Amino acid sequence: MADRKQHFFARLIQMSMKQSYALKASFWMRLVFMIVSDLIMMIGWYVMFESFQTINGWNFNDFMFMSGLNISAFSIWTLFFRGAGIRMSQWIQNGEFDYFLLSPQNVLFHASCCVSEPSGWGDFVAGIGLMIASGLITVSTFGIVVILFICAVLCFLSVNFFLTAINFYFKNTVDLTERLFYVFFSICGYPGSIYTDWAKILLITIFPAGLISILPIEVLKNTQGFTLLYLSGASITLFFGSILFFYRGLKKYESGNRTILRG
Amino acid sequence: MQDEVILVDGLSKSFYYSKGLFCKGKVRTDAVKNLSFSVHAGECVAFIGPNGAGKSTTVKLLTSVLYPTSGTALVGGLNPWENRRDLARRIGVVFGQRSQLWYHLPVRDSVFLLAAAYDIPDCIAQKKWHELSEVLDIGKLWLVPVKQLSLGQRMRCEIAASLLHEPSILFLDEPTIGLDVEAKRILRDFLKKEATENKTTILLTSHDTEDIEKVCQRVILINQGTKMLDTSVQQLKTDFLSKKYVRLFKNNGDCECFAIETKNKSVQSFLKQTNLNEITDITIENPPLEEIIRTLYISGERHA
């Protein structure tokens, strides 16, 4: 039975990608421009680090790794789970979620995996490239980096699931939840060392951008076992918590009658 | 005693809306109110009512899309709100205004995805699609991107896609909306065949009375969320026929049409009072089902 489910989701992801590649010129343009955009951003930060050398103990390599982790985890969401977030929020708000409820598959993952954003490949290449270029991936840290990557992906998914589910509980919140997600993503893009005291506590608990931007570098630089344990536990808790929150909200779903087509 | 595959008892669904930015409390709208009915296996039931009557809401409640405010239902022996995924394997649903086919991709891709969703091997799905495509005349559309299909072609593909997993219960919400005469005919013939040959239970909502006449044996009329009438299509015609239309074709080529209220005057007495010397032909017709339903809607609204 488990194999069959994997089969469905493998095919679903394949189809959502195929649909996104239907316009080939657009696909290549978005991929290339995403890499260029990520590199331009890094040039800006390089100039900054050239002037200040370190920011609260972080050097440019630390920042490169953090950005690479952030961008590559983000790319997993855009490539495989792009339905979660703004698209799903719109479906919920407009009452267009019926199709997923009528399918004998997991509603949340079905809706999440049916959209793929081709620019994600650009982010993925740039993100992995940055992590390698940072020099922080070695044979001894490789296993930890994989765990950090999985945790970062779980965080992005959790935040998206959570923000999407808000649309079940409150009406007309698509713009708000979209903005909140980009605030989260923006915070993840700054060097984690700038956040101290209460801001740091806030970011590793309630608004968990710090699980991507602060803790991974602390784990790598100081080889902190407890921090890695906290990070893994928090990411998993957040992930399952967001799924629970989503399914509770689903009971409040109100279907609509707009004429719609798939894709 | 036939098996009841749909059993609805006291089903209600209310929606709540805020009164305003600075007003306390919420406005309640009852889309479905204390609805009870049952449908036997293999039965074709038309679920009719004016716009906003609660037809689509009822279908969505029975297909687990919406949770009820109160009441119970069993569809194919399952509680729709507790067994959503199991229920999805037993029912087929077609919403006239919604598509389950992927817009930019060929029909084939959507069929294989649906096959995967229902754990059907590709070869069996393709064989089933081939069978359905012969009846629905969609054989040539296998490799055509959905965006290039006409509305009628798309709707026939939607029906075929809903039947891929051979559901025993089929919910159709306005399946003939926007279709041309030929596409409607193909669909109706197909649904009738599906019900008689495969014993598929069909619950159909439609504003097109021909759908009801050609496909269904029974009619449930609802208005403002409440059941107003539950009878057979034949009984509906017998009970609510209060008029006859008499057409008189005259020597000079003119034609006159008279609506006779049969409770006031019989057709026979009308004809006795008519000068038949000038008449070359006479036709006596029942009013179309559409008119009967329109009368029912109006009387239902007055009653409500």
Side-chain angles (χ1 to χ4, degrees):
Chain A
M1 198 66 184
D3 288 344
R4 282 178 178 175
K5 279 180 191 168
Q6 276 175 356
H7 182 230
F8 169 72
F9 282 104
R11 185 166 278 177
L12 180 64
I13 288 169
Q14 188 190 344
M15 263 185 73
S16 60
M17 287 192 170
K18 201 172 169 185
Q19 172 123 323
S20 71
Y21 307 149
L23 305 165
K24 283 180 188 170
S26 158
F27 167 74
W28 287 111
M29 271 177 62
R30 288 162 98 172
L31 190 149
V32 170
F33 278 103
M34 196 47 71
I35 296 174
V36 171
S37 152
D38 290 338
L39 291 180
I40 289 172
M41 179 198 74
M42 287 315 293
I43 290 168
W45 281 101
Y46 177 75
V47 172
M48 174 93 125
F49 275 95
E50 276 294 291
S51 305
F52 297 100
Q53 299 304 317
T54 61
I55 298 175
N56 277 357
W58 278 34
N59 58 31
F60 184 61
N61 285 349
D62 299 334
F63 178 72
M64 252 203 311
F65 180 85
M66 186 217 77
S67 296
L69 183 73
N70 179 17
I71 293 168
S72 54
F74 179 82
S75 76
I76 298 298
W77 167 63
T78 52
L79 282 172
F80 304 111
F81 302 96
R82 190 64 176 86
I86 177 76
R87 293 290 288 272
M88 218 193 293
S89 300
Q90 284 168 338
W91 294 331
I92 293 165
Q93 181 175 282
N94 298 332
E96 298 167 358
F97 212 59
D98 303 7
Y99 169 74
F100 305 104
L101 287 160
L102 294 169
S103 167
Q105 297 293 333
N106 182 303
V107 176
L108 176 58
F109 286 93
H110 187 174
S112 301
C113 298
C114 73
V115 183
S116 175
E117 171 64 50
S119 63
W121 287 115
D123 274 336
F124 184 75
V125 171
I128 298 293
L130 286 172
M131 279 201 285
I132 294 168
S134 74
L136 291 177
I137 304 180
T138 61
V139 177
S140 59
T141 60
F142 183 76
I144 296 171
V145 171
V146 171
I147 295 172
L148 295 176
F149 180 72
I150 293 168
C151 290
V153 171
L154 289 181
C155 283
F156 269 119
L157 289 183
S158 309
V159 169
N160 270 300
F161 292 163
F162 181 79
L163 293 175
T164 300
I166 287 178
N167 292 280
F168 286 126
Y169 297 88
F170 305 98
K171 307 297 167 220
N172 203 17
T173 49
V174 175
D175 292 344
L176 175 75
T177 51
E178 188 187 9
R179 273 166 198 260
L180 274 171
F181 176 71
Y182 284 105
V183 167
F184 175 84
F185 185 60
S186 301
I187 292 173
C188 291
Y190 290 99
S193 56
I194 64 171
Y195 307 110
T196 53
D197 305 326
W198 64 267
K200 185 178 172 181
I201 292 167
L202 188 78
L203 290 178
I204 60 172
T205 53
I206 297 166
F207 199 75
L211 299 183
I212 298 168
S213 67
I214 303 172
L215 298 187
I217 291 293
E218 287 188 5
V219 169
L220 271 184
K221 287 182 79 173
N222 309 322
T223 354
Q224 293 173 335
F226 174 74
T227 309
L228 182 63
L229 202 66
Y230 173 78
L231 179 58
S232 310
S235 304
I236 292 167
T237 308
L238 201 63
F239 183 65
F240 286 107
S242 67
I243 292 173
L244 195 71
F245 185 66
F246 179 90
Y247 279 101
R248 287 204 167 196
L250 189 60
K251 291 184 179 178
K252 295 176 184 289
Y253 170 65
E254 290 177 10
S255 174
N257 57 5
R258 280 163 60 119
T259 302
I260 47 165
L261 289 164
R262 305 270 319 121
Chain B
M1 180 79 184
Q2 289 167 295
D3 295 336
E4 285 166 334
V5 288
I6 302 174
L7 195 61
V8 180
D9 186 22
L11 196 65
S12 299
K13 177 69 183 175
S14 305
F15 295 103
Y16 295 88
Y17 304 97
S18 171
K19 277 183 181 170
L21 195 57
F22 301 106
C23 301
K24 263 190 173 180
K26 289 188 172 181
V27 180
R28 194 178 88 173
T29 307
D30 297 320
V32 176
K33 283 187 275 190
N34 200 25
L35 191 65
S36 301
F37 65 92
S38 63
V39 179
H40 298 298
E43 210 176 2
C44 291
V45 179
F47 207 60
I48 61 167
N51 289 327
K55 307 181 295 290
S56 298
T57 305
T58 307
V59 170
K60 285 171 184 174
L61 285 165
L62 297 181
T63 53
S64 76
V65 169
L66 293 175
Y67 279 77
T69 308
S70 63
T72 58
L74 284 176
V75 180
L78 298 170
N79 178 329
W81 314 291
E82 286 173 7
N83 308 91
R84 184 190 68 78
R85 288 164 80 166
D86 290 333
L87 181 72
R89 291 179 189 278
R90 296 189 192 182
I91 63 169
V93 186
V94 177
F95 288 114
Q97 294 163 307
R98 309 256 160 136
S99 181
Q100 54 189 322
L101 307 171
W102 289 54
Y103 189 63
H104 289 289
L105 302 180
V107 173
R108 177 197 56 192
D109 291 3
S110 296
V111 171
F112 285 150
L113 183 71
L114 283 167
Y118 289 100
D119 299 327
I120 305 168
D122 287 353
C123 56
I124 293 176
Q126 202 166 349
K127 196 179 158 201
K128 179 71 186 169
W129 185 267
H130 183 70
E131 285 169 22
L132 293 165
S133 64
E134 276 185 6
V135 193
L136 288 165
D137 192 23
I138 48 173
K140 291 175 187 166
L141 308 178
W142 183 241
L143 295 172
V144 179
V146 172
K147 65 181 173 187
Q148 288 173 14
L149 301 180
S150 69
L151 183 62
Q153 289 171 330
R154 185 175 68 78
M155 195 49 71
R156 278 178 275 154
C157 289
E158 295 283 353
I159 300 252
S162 301
L163 291 167
L164 205 62
H165 59 293
E166 300 180 342
S168 55
I169 307 164
L170 195 55
F171 291 91
L172 301 148
D173 192 8
E174 300 189 36
T176 55
I177 195 166
L179 301 191
D180 66 30
V181 181
E182 181 57 10
K184 281 182 182 179
R185 186 192 63 77
I186 294 172
L187 264 186
R188 286 168 188 151
D189 289 349
F190 174 77
L191 291 174
K192 212 170 174 182
K193 192 167 175 261
E194 189 64 25
T196 47
E197 289 182 8
N198 296 334
K199 301 284 174 226
T200 305
T201 308
I202 295 175
L203 189 75
L204 172 123
T205 81
S206 181
H207 288 291
D208 190 327
T209 48
E210 265 197 85
D211 291 348
I212 301 161
E213 272 188 303
K214 298 269 164 67
V215 180
C216 303
Q217 303 108 30
R218 188 177 145 204
V219 176
I220 297 174
L221 170 74
I222 65 164
N223 198 3
Q224 298 189 5
T226 312
K227 187 170 81 176
M228 309 298 289
L229 186 77
D230 185 349
T231 185
S232 69
V233 175
Q234 199 52 48
Q235 196 65 42
L236 181 75
K237 284 181 177 175
T238 315
D239 290 353
F240 294 91
L241 278 180
S242 57
K243 265 186 207 168
K244 293 275 183 190
Y245 287 112
V246 179
R247 269 176 223 278
L248 303 177
F249 296 89
K250 294 186 173 175
N251 294 333
N252 58 8
D254 289 352
C255 171
E256 278 185 275
C257 183
F258 298 91
I260 313 293
E261 291 285 348
T262 48
K263 60 183 172 188
N264 299 333
K265 189 190 241 181
S266 70
V267 175
Q268 200 178 13
S269 64
F270 168 77
L271 290 174
K272 274 181 187 169
Q273 289 166 6
T274 312
N275 181 6
L276 296 173
N277 294 332
E278 298 174 357
I279 308 300
T280 55
D281 199 4
I282 299 169
T283 63
I284 303 167
E285 292 166 10
N286 287 325
L289 184 62
E290 193 170 67
E291 196 176 314
I292 298 171
I293 289 170
R294 193 170 60 232
T295 313
L296 282 170
Y297 284 3
I298 293 165
S299 65
E301 267 163 27
R302 276 187 199 143
H303 177 74

